[in-house]
Each structure stands twice: as structure tokens, then as C-alpha cells.
Amino acid sequence: MHLKTLSIFNFKNYNQATFDFLPGINCFTGNNGVGKTNILEAIYYLSFCKGFGTSSDTQNIRFDEDFFMIQGNYEINSKNDELHCAVKRGQKKIFKRNKKEYERLSDHIGYYPLVLIYPGDGELINGGSEERRKFIDGVISQYNHDYLYRLMDYNRALTQRNSLLKIFAEKKNFDFASLEIWDQQLINNGEFIYKIRKEFFLNFIDVFRDDYKSLSGNQEQTDIAYESGLNNSSFEELLKENLKKDLSFQYTSAGIHKDNLNFFIDGQPVKKFGSQGQQKTFVIALKLAQYRFIRQIKGFAPLLLFDDIFDKLDPSRVELLLNTVSRDGFGQIFITDTHSERLELILEKMSVASRLFSIKTGETISIKDFGNE
């Protein structure tokens, strides 16, 4: 899969810009705040119908404008595809594939798989369990639509059950028949989700261990433990066991929405005992394993985005990482970095066709190519 051109209009700090990309490595350099990350976020929109930042769609509209638009032209499986995303204030988001609008945006997820590695990934180690569940869901949803739809149904049922528990507390009246409707939806969808997550980890763990060893260059033993209440009980039993607690807390205290991942190096929790270098390597290995796992299932390489992560790695580690992702079946790669000299030195050593865009306040000021096209 190759994103050939990207056009953005009124998106964040860009008025209008068009980029022509190489199938290999595409880099964006410039000072902080000039809009490098905004280009990656536009690419991310075309895969997920949303950005990866915390801002809402309308907050991504350029100041004093009424809309933003993102268009991308892809080559995928020897065919050309055109994607179009438009957001206008006060109106619903429009997303089209080859000029045909989606009725459900979720139907688009997985057609143009993408893996993003960015500074916020540190929350996979140091954040709450929700961040690690998002990681699981983000991998599986890109190749299993049934999983995505079941997850959406589960979350809707969970919201309804929690609302009902609050009503019971307010009215001091418990209606088991009403609760049972939502319990059954949680059970049906939750057990399916749990089964898929378990199958995923059986295959994912070895891929991750290989990537960690490649990046670290040592023989540390890594492990990921999948923690779930369903490991030892059926979902129906969990809900029955926790009913009194749920009525007291006014929310559903057990289920697959409480699942977690525990990360270990040499038997010790990475969050507590891992050095900064080990934690960074662990997170990048997780993301590269996500990439290789999706590539294996989809049959073609996802897009790989690196946003401003090289400042947190020593130069030798940066070079090792780029050499790793420029071979072994990796596809198109997008990188942002504040140090153009560092990137140029590395790209000059590599045989992969690479393009370096110099960015200044929402515009490209120069383009330089490296390697053999």
C-alpha cells in the first residue's frame, strides 16, 4: 500500500498544501510548532476517520475557516483509490472512498491499516489499563470487523447498564428483569471479545519478543500477561458475583472493560523496575509487533508513522530503528523530526528511496531526495 499524494485544506495551521510521497521513507523536519505532526494527523484521518490528538474534529479546522478537507490518493493491490474527508462546523463529518460516502464510518476501519508511534505511547507503560485496552482493540479492529462491531455493541450495553444502576439507586427500586436485558448483551458480546483477545495474544507474544530483541540487542526475557476476570470465571458468573457491588457503586465493576496487560522484563514489572531506555524500547517493540502482526494478516504492509520520537533515543538507536524498518518487508514510512542534519546523515547511508520535506509554519520550503527511486 502506497499513499501517493496528500492534499489538505484549512486543516490546523495549513491553508492549502499538497504532498507527493515516495513508496519508501518520507520525512518532515522543522522547528517545533511548524506543523510537522499535523501532516501525520491528516494521514491518520484517512485511515481512522479521526485524528490521534485530543482535539475534536471542529477544533482541527483552521482558525476563522468554516471547514477542513483531507484527500488522499492510494495505490493498493495494484489499484488506485481516492479517499476524501470533510468536516464543516455544525454538520456531520463526510467520508468518501472512491466518491462513495460511508453510511457508517466504522465500515472504513482496516481498509488502509496504519501504525503510529508517537510520544503519547509512553502511556502504554505508565498510564491506566484503558490505554492498554485501546492498544489491543486498535490492533484487532484493523483486521477483524466483527470484533469492532461487537466492541461497539458491548460499550453501548455497558453505558445502558450503568445508567440503569444509577436509576435503581435514585429510585431505591431494583428491577432484575430490566437489568437482565443488558446483562445478556454484555455476556454475548463480552465472551466473543475475550475469545478473540486470547487468540490474539497467543500469536502476538512471539512477534513482540523478536522485535524487542532486535531493538535492544540483548537477551532480556520479556513477557506480556493478559489479565481478565474471564480467565477464571464465565461472564455470567462474574456479573452475579459482583451484583451487590455494582448496585452499591452504581456502575459495572467487572467485565472485559476491566481487562489489562501486565508487561515484564526478566520477570519484573516494566512500569516499576524498567529503566527509561527499557521502557522506550518495550513500547516501540509493541508497536512494531503490531505492525508486523497486521501485515501478516492483511497480506500487505500498513503505513508506519513515527512522530517526534527520535529525541528520546540515542543516535545509534535511531539508526538501528530506521535500518530495521527499512527492510524485512516494511512498506511506506513517515517520520517527523526537529533535526534535519541527523536524518540526512542516516538517509544518506541507506539504500531506500527517501524524501525529506523541510517545513516552516504550515508550508513546505524545500524537498530533498535520497537513495535510488
Side-chain angles (χ1 to χ4, degrees), residues 66-331:
D66 293 326
F67 75 99
F68 79 69
M69 185 167 63
I70 304 169
Q71 294 183 164
N73 291 290
Y74 291 76
E75 183 179 308
I76 180 169
N77 294 328
S78 301
K79 294 172 61 178
N80 291 318
D81 282 358
E82 180 183 288
L83 300 184
H84 171 98
C85 176
V87 172
K88 190 171 184 179
R89 298 187 194 277
Q91 297 185 18
K92 76 164 190 171
K93 177 162 43 186
I94 295 174
F95 203 100
K96 297 179 181 179
R97 179 187 182 197
N98 296 329
K99 300 182 179 179
K100 183 177 180 180
E101 185 175 352
Y102 283 98
E103 293 183 9
R104 295 188 304 179
L105 296 180
S106 56
D107 290 343
H108 178 71
I109 307 304
Y111 279 114
Y112 305 84
L114 177 152
V115 173
L116 167 71
I117 302 178
Y118 78 126
D121 288 332
E123 291 299 296
L124 281 171
I125 302 288
N126 298 305
S129 60
E130 181 181 2
E131 296 298 327
R132 292 177 284 279
R133 286 193 299 276
K134 283 181 181 177
F135 171 74
I136 305 171
D137 298 336
V139 180
I140 301 174
S141 294
Q142 290 197 69
Y143 66 81
N144 188 329
H145 267 177
D146 285 343
Y147 180 91
L148 176 59
Y149 298 142
R150 291 282 199 124
L151 185 64
M152 293 166 65
D153 288 344
Y154 180 93
N155 288 330
R156 279 191 286 266
L158 181 65
T159 298
Q160 293 296 327
R161 189 180 193 269
N162 288 342
S163 296
L164 200 56
L165 290 169
K166 290 177 182 176
I167 292 172
F168 291 161
E170 290 168 3
K171 295 186 175 181
K172 295 182 170 52
N173 181 39
F174 172 61
D175 180 4
F176 180 76
S178 297
L179 197 67
E180 194 174 27
I181 294 172
W182 302 114
D183 283 1
Q184 199 56 52
Q185 290 199 32
L186 289 182
I187 291 167
N188 290 342
N189 291 304
E191 289 184 343
F192 174 87
I193 292 165
Y194 170 72
K195 176 175 176 285
I196 298 299
R197 285 179 178 174
K198 283 208 71 171
E199 290 174 353
F200 162 70
F201 276 107
L202 285 173
N203 297 298
F204 181 81
I205 186 67
D206 288 337
V207 179
F208 162 75
R209 286 173 176 153
D210 287 345
D211 281 317
Y212 185 89
K213 285 183 178 179
S214 295
L215 291 174
S216 64
N218 60 38
Q219 297 301 312
E220 292 170 336
Q221 297 298 310
T222 55
D223 198 12
I224 303 174
Y226 174 36
E227 180 183 300
S228 176
L230 272 71
N231 284 342
N232 301 308
S233 301
S234 71
F235 206 153
E236 185 175 5
E237 289 170 341
L238 273 184
L239 291 175
K240 287 179 179 177
E241 291 167 4
N242 289 277
L243 180 57
K244 287 184 179 179
K245 187 192 294 186
D246 293 354
L247 291 169
S248 175
F249 291 170
Q250 299 173 40
Y251 65 82
T252 307
S253 60
I256 56 98
H257 59 286
K258 296 292 184 180
D259 287 359
N260 197 6
L261 300 179
N262 295 311
F263 302 139
F264 300 94
I265 294 178
D266 291 336
Q268 299 298 320
V270 176
K271 182 175 182 178
K272 187 174 182 180
F273 296 103
S275 67
Q276 283 192 342
Q278 286 175 321
Q279 290 189 5
K280 291 169 191 172
T281 302
F282 202 99
V283 167
I284 293 173
L286 280 172
K287 287 306 194 79
L288 292 184
Q290 173 187 3
Y291 179 97
R292 290 209 292 142
F293 193 85
I294 293 173
R295 182 187 65 192
Q296 181 179 346
I297 291 176
K298 300 290 288 186
F300 59 88
L303 302 182
L304 181 59
L305 278 55
F306 290 102
D307 183 34
D308 193 28
I309 68 163
F310 296 146
D311 282 343
K312 305 186 186 311
L313 298 171
D314 60 73
S316 62
R317 191 64 59 87
V318 171
E319 190 166 349
L320 175 62
L321 177 58
L322 284 183
N323 280 321
T324 298
V325 300
S326 64
R327 59 177 189 269
D328 298 334
F330 280 84

Side-chain angles (χ1 to χ4, degrees), residues 18-20 22 26-27 354-359 364-370:
T18 297
F19 303 90
D20 294 314
L22 296 180
N26 300 272
C27 304
S354 308
R355 180 164 290 171
L356 183 68
F357 297 83
S358 294
I359 307 296
T364 302
I365 57 174
S366 68
I367 301 172
K368 187 174 182 180
D369 286 349
F370 300 83

